[in-house]
Amino acid sequence: MTDGRAAPDASCHHLAAPSAPVESMSYARAEDLAAVRAFVCARALAGGLSPARVDLLGLAVSELATNTLQHTEGGGLVRVWTAADDVICDIVDQGGLRSVAGEMPAADAIRGRGLAIVARICDEVTVSASPQGTVVRVRFHR
C-alpha cells in the first residue's frame, strides 16, 4: 500500500483452514459478479469493516472473480468470514498458482492491472493450492 503501511504479503504457501463460521457463494458467469460483490460486501460490513474498506474489499473480490471467469473453466467460489481483527475472503478456482505481487502495467497497457490493484489495496494477499483448487486469500484489518 502507498499510505505508509507495510507492503502486502503476496506469497504462495499453505493456508490454514478458517476457524470461524464461513459463508460461501459460487459463481460461474459474468452476470454473477454483482451478486458476488454484494454478498461479500454485506458480510464484511456486518463483520465490522468500515464502509471505505468494504468498497476496497469489493473491488479486490471483483478483480479476482473476474480473473477466474476470464482465465479458468468452471467458475469459482468465494468464502468470507471474520477472525480476530480481520475480515478474510477466499476466492477459489481451478486456475494455476499465480503471484499477485507485481508491477503495475504501463499506462497504455490494455490489460494486467487487476492483480496489481489487489496487491496494493489489501492488507495481506496469499495464494495456495488446496484440494478444492487455487485459493487466493485477501485480508482486511478492521
Side-chain angles (χ1 to χ4, degrees):
M1 303 210 47
T2 59
D3 62 0
R5 289 189 273 180
D9 174 5
S11 57
C12 295
H13 54 76
H14 177 73
L15 298 173
S19 59
V22 176
E23 295 187 63
S24 62
M25 177 183 179
S26 296
Y27 59 95
R29 305 173 322 192
E31 295 79 16
D32 297 335
L33 292 174
V36 168
R37 284 189 300 272
F39 170 82
V40 169
C41 290
R43 278 135 191 93
L45 194 58
L49 201 59
S50 72
R53 307 273 290 150
V54 168
D55 288 345
L56 291 174
L57 175 59
L59 175 60
V61 168
S62 184
E63 290 295 336
L64 292 167
T66 297
N67 274 5
T68 295
L69 297 176
Q70 290 181 343
H71 302 292
T72 72
E73 297 292 326
L77 175 74
V78 62
R79 302 186 292 223
V80 63
W81 69 98
T82 59
D85 294 325
D86 299 321
V87 173
I88 304 166
C89 186
D90 284 351
I91 296 80
V92 184
D93 64 35
Q94 298 305 305
L97 287 175
R98 55 209 167 263
S99 173
V100 296
E103 294 299 317
M104 189 65 73
D108 60 347
I110 296 172
R111 301 176 57 91
R113 288 176 183 78
L115 295 179
I117 290 169
V118 169
R120 283 163 179 75
I121 65 175
C122 298
D123 293 315
E124 182 181 321
V125 181
T126 49
V127 181
S128 178
S130 77
Q132 296 81 32
T134 298
V135 179
V136 179
R137 180 169 292 172
V138 298
R139 183 180 300 262
F140 279 77
H141 305 311
R142 290 186 267 186

